[in-house]
């Protein structure tokens, strides 16, 4: 099985930046699909960004232009660079992975592996 561990969450002021990392216990193959999700208190978990086996990226409309997803297969690590943070970005952020396919962000139940999350809090 694959184990994912997120890090980098913190409390920042509106307009600030953070970089989240997701380390995998196993090698992240080029064929793997990797994604970031987030869940605010009292709300459903939602897709933030994903990167497929060809390096193509997809972002939710709420973060497009502000967040950048990337991966370093040699380090078995997924990243999420978060700029121009807003209070509405406050949430627990989770990384996820799927092998053999790349589900749509709205199809979160189809992702095979999940981390435990890292908290991001943005103050106004």
């Amino acid at each position: 099985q694959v184990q994912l561990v997120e890090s980098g969450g913190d409390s920042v002021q509106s307009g600030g930046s953070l970089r989240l990392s997701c380390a995998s216990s196993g090698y992240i193959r080029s064929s793997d699909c990797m994604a970031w999700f987030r869940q605010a208190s009292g709300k459903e978990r939602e897709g933030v960004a994903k990167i497929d086996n060809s390096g193509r990226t997809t972002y939710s409309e709420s973060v497009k232009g502000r967040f950048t997803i990337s991966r370093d297969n040699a380090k078995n690590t997924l990243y999420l660079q978060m700029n121009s943070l807003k209070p509405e970005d406050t949430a627990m952020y989770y990384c996820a992975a799927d092998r053999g396919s790349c589900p749509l962000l709205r199809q979160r139940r189809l992702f095979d592996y999940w981390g435990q999350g890292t908290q991001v809090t943005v103050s106004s």
Side-chain angles (χ1 to χ4, degrees), residues 29-74:
R29 303 173 302 180
S30 60
S31 60
D32 290 349
C33 173
M34 305 293 294
W36 287 97
F37 291 80
R38 67 185 182 186
Q39 185 170 19
S41 179
K43 297 184 179 180
E44 295 293 317
R45 190 171 300 185
E46 63 177 353
V48 175
K50 71 173 183 179
I51 182 167
D52 67 15
N53 58 1
S54 297
R56 291 175 295 188
T57 58
T58 302
Y59 300 91
S60 67
E61 291 299 320
S62 63
V63 307
K64 188 176 182 179
R66 298 187 297 121
F67 292 8
T68 302
I69 187 171
S70 62
R71 61 196 293 172
D72 187 335
N73 291 344

Side-chain angles (χ1 to χ4, degrees), residues 28 70-79:
I28 300 177
S70 62
R71 61 196 293 172
D72 187 335
N73 291 344
K75 296 181 179 180
N76 297 339
T77 304
L78 175 74
Y79 302 99

Side-chain angles (χ1 to χ4, degrees), residues 10-35:
D10 205 349
S11 296
V12 299
Q13 189 174 358
S14 180
S17 298
L18 285 173
R19 188 180 75 164
L20 305 183
S21 298
C22 175
S24 173
S25 63
Y27 184 76
I28 300 177
R29 303 173 302 180
S30 60
S31 60
D32 290 349
C33 173
M34 305 293 294

